Amino acid sequence: MDVRRTVVVKLAVSDEQRDALHRTAEQYLFCANRTADYCWSDASYTECKTNKRQVRDALYSELREKTDLQAQLVQAAIRRAVEAVKACVERWKKGQRVSCPTFTAETMDYDTRSATFYRNKVSLATVESRVEPSFVLPAESPTPYEQYVLSEEFEFRESTLRYDAATDEFYLHISTRQTDGNDAEVSTETEHPDQTVLGIDLGVNSLAVSSTGTFWQGDDYDHWCREFERRRGEIQQRGTQAAHNALVRLGKREEAWRKQYIHTVANELVSEAVDHDCDVIVFEDLTDIRERLPQAKWHHVWAFRRLFEYVSYKAPEQGVSVEQVEPNHTSQRCSRTGCGFTHEDNRHGEHFKCQKCGYEVNADYNGAKNIGARYARKRIHRLRSSPTSGDGDAEVDLRITGGTLSGKSYRPIAGD
């Protein structure tokens, strides 16, 4: 199984190192925005440039001449911009409104040549010379950094340096991948074809719903998001330095609370899969989630993405993989075995009633079953069409609850 881990490490930077990193980020963003402008065309998505090699060949010399960035950082900025343009082009093809990507957040991508890791510090390339900030690590050992970055069982892939303006701190997000001991990636193709799937539907009223009928309600999450917003508004009206300091403290508390809440849901979701002997947890693809859920606020979208991220690194530790499927019509399709009738009139708010067979169930639970079933169908098709899959038989089961759910039989898990 391909196991990947992302370790977040806080950096202890001096004033001199901080200035160097800020200047580097400024030039990195210049390269990314220059690349996006070069690639973009308002006339048609067919005129947008999305070939990384061609864009790099066209811009690399210019950007190296105009900046003091190391070669790897220039290329990383070009790659980031091209990927962003590609994503916009895909949305444009679907008829969605898009515009040229712009980059403002101070984040930079480092590879093995621009970042070197030691036990207690990292060496990072900047526009001046390399800086070597120390890590701020927990006292308990082994730390996640020791477990994954320094471990011989995991290999370094890439890292992203992020500046948090609210806390005035730099954080390094280090991505690693498990190896088999011979520097070869552990392949998912060695998995046994028999699998049991847990489908997960994400929504506004119910933050997450599993195909086993477990509901993680969003009421408490929404309540505290509104409460933090209310407190923020009251403090902002004062307009004093003390109020500004209070806003910074409140922002830290809110961020910590959000992360802890989603971590709790992620842990319980993984436990749900383990308790029901599931091998795979399946989410809907979160691309264009804002367009599919126009009623979702920014904190909902943040929660969806963090939940998928947290489950993605927690689940493999329990021997459970995490996948995504296309979300098309999963909320309008009847999940009853043998039906599958799809129509927009099937769903009314939180209630689902099939216009063909009359099946009635909670709409989010219906969506969760469809998400799991879609992965199961794709998995079976892939195994049966593979020349190495023997006689083509494969067991891929969707784990569901018995009976039907009206939406009143849920048990909210994550509360406090």
Side-chain angles (χ1 to χ4, degrees):
M1 181 179 295
D2 182 8
V3 179
R4 298 171 186 264
R5 295 289 183 273
T6 298
V7 180
V8 181
V9 182
K10 180 179 176 180
L11 301 182
V13 298
S14 65
D15 290 341
E16 183 178 354
Q17 292 172 340
R18 187 183 303 276
D19 291 341
L21 291 173
H22 280 310
R23 287 194 292 272
T24 305
E26 181 180 1
Q27 295 192 24
Y28 185 95
L29 294 178
F30 166 79
C31 291
N33 285 310
R34 169 69 181 95
T35 302
D37 289 340
Y38 173 81
C39 295
W40 190 255
S41 171
D42 288 323
S44 170
Y45 61 77
T46 60
E47 297 184 21
C48 293
K49 303 176 181 65
T50 57
N51 185 295
K52 291 181 185 177
R53 175 171 294 183
Q54 292 178 358
V55 174
R56 183 194 62 194
D57 291 346
L59 293 180
Y60 176 76
S61 297
E62 172 194 332
L63 296 178
R64 283 280 282 161
E65 183 177 341
K66 289 184 177 180
T67 68
D68 299 314
L69 290 177
Q70 187 188 68
Q72 285 74 28
L73 289 177
V74 171
Q75 294 185 42
I78 292 174
R79 285 195 299 271
R80 177 185 291 186
V82 174
E83 286 297 331
V85 171
K86 277 186 178 180
C88 287
V89 167
E90 291 303 314
R91 295 173 61 190
W92 197 348
K93 289 179 180 178
K94 298 176 183 178
Q96 300 173 12
R97 297 181 61 183
V98 294
S99 59
C100 179
T102 57
F103 302 89
T104 57
E106 289 191 45
T107 64
M108 295 180 285
D109 300 315
Y110 282 85
D111 62 12
T112 54
R113 289 169 292 181
S114 52
T116 304
F117 292 92
Y118 303 96
R119 176 163 292 278
N120 296 311
K121 65 180 181 180
V122 63
S123 174
L124 298 172
T126 71
V127 292
E128 298 175 0
S129 58
R130 280 184 171 259
V131 298
E132 297 187 349
S134 301
F135 297 136
V136 180
L137 298 173
E140 298 81 7
S141 186
T143 65
Y145 178 77
E146 293 170 329
Q147 285 180 296
Y148 303 120
V149 181
L150 298 182
S151 171
E152 293 182 356
E153 297 181 0
F154 286 80
E155 65 176 3
F156 170 74
R157 301 290 293 169
E158 60 185 0
S159 61
T160 300
L161 183 69
R162 300 182 185 276
Y163 173 66
D164 187 339
T167 60
D168 192 27
E169 302 287 359
F170 282 95
Y171 294 87
L172 201 59
H173 296 240
I174 310 167
S175 298
T176 64
R177 181 186 66 188
Q178 191 176 36
T179 64
D180 63 0
N182 296 314
D183 295 329
E185 183 175 353
V186 179
S187 174
T188 57
E189 294 305 315
T190 60
E191 296 178 24
H192 194 279
D194 294 357
Q195 292 187 333
T196 302
V197 179
L198 182 72
I200 302 296
D201 182 79
L202 303 176
V204 175
N205 296 318
S206 297
L207 189 61
V209 181
S210 71
S211 57
T212 52
T214 299
F215 284 63
W216 286 267
Q217 294 296 87
D219 296 347
D220 191 52
Y221 180 76
D222 285 341
H223 166 75
W224 281 106
C225 287
R226 290 193 298 269
E227 183 65 17
F228 278 115
E229 185 66 28
R230 182 186 66 80
R231 294 177 186 176
R232 201 160 32 244
E234 292 176 351
I235 295 174
Q236 287 174 336
Q237 291 180 356
R238 302 173 193 170
T240 63
Q241 182 60 44
H244 171 75
N245 296 337
L247 278 174
V248 172
R249 292 193 298 271
L250 181 64
K252 292 180 180 179
R253 285 177 53 199
E254 181 179 11
E255 181 182 18
W257 178 85
R258 288 180 192 277
K259 289 182 177 179
Q260 183 56 50
Y261 189 94
I262 301 303
H263 269 297
T264 300
V265 176
N267 287 334
E268 293 168 354
L269 201 155
V270 173
S271 296
E272 184 78 3
V274 173
D275 291 345
H276 289 84
D277 298 321
C278 295
D279 306 288
V280 187
I281 299 173
V282 183
F283 289 85
E284 58 186 303
D285 190 337
L286 297 181
T287 305
D288 303 330
I289 187 70
R290 291 181 183 274
E291 287 72 19
R292 298 201 308 272
L293 291 176
Q295 72 274 29
K297 299 183 182 297
W298 71 266
H299 59 258
H300 292 124
V301 177
W302 180 92
F304 300 154
R305 299 192 187 282
R306 293 294 82 74
L307 182 59
F308 175 74
E309 175 187 331
Y310 295 164
V311 171
S312 293
Y313 76 78
K314 293 174 184 285
E317 294 180 343
Q318 304 298 324
V320 181
S321 61
V322 180
E323 302 288 347
Q324 288 182 302
V325 296
E326 289 296 323
N328 302 344
H329 307 301
T330 52
S331 65
Q332 301 172 357
R333 177 186 172 91
C334 179
S335 63
R336 191 175 191 176
T337 303
C339 182
F341 179 70
T342 304
H343 197 281
E344 60 182 9
D345 290 340
N346 283 349
R347 177 165 186 168
H348 298 278
E350 297 183 56
H351 183 70
F352 180 93
K353 181 177 180 180
C354 180
Q355 303 300 302
K356 181 178 180 181
C357 72
Y359 177 57
E360 293 188 60
V361 71
N362 175 270
D364 294 326
Y365 173 58
N366 179 76
K369 291 201 295 180
N370 279 327
I371 289 169
R374 177 164 293 176
Y375 171 81
R377 290 192 296 269
K378 289 178 63 177
R379 175 71 176 172
I380 291 173
H381 175 74
R382 188 169 78 233
L383 288 170
R384 289 179 175 173
S385 61
S386 171
T388 61
S389 60
D391 58 7
D393 293 331
E395 288 290 334
V396 185
D397 297 324
L398 172 64
R399 187 67 77 203
I400 60 175
T401 188
T404 61
L405 293 180
S406 65
K408 297 180 180 179
S409 58
Y410 57 76
R411 56 182 180 94
I413 305 295
D416 299 327

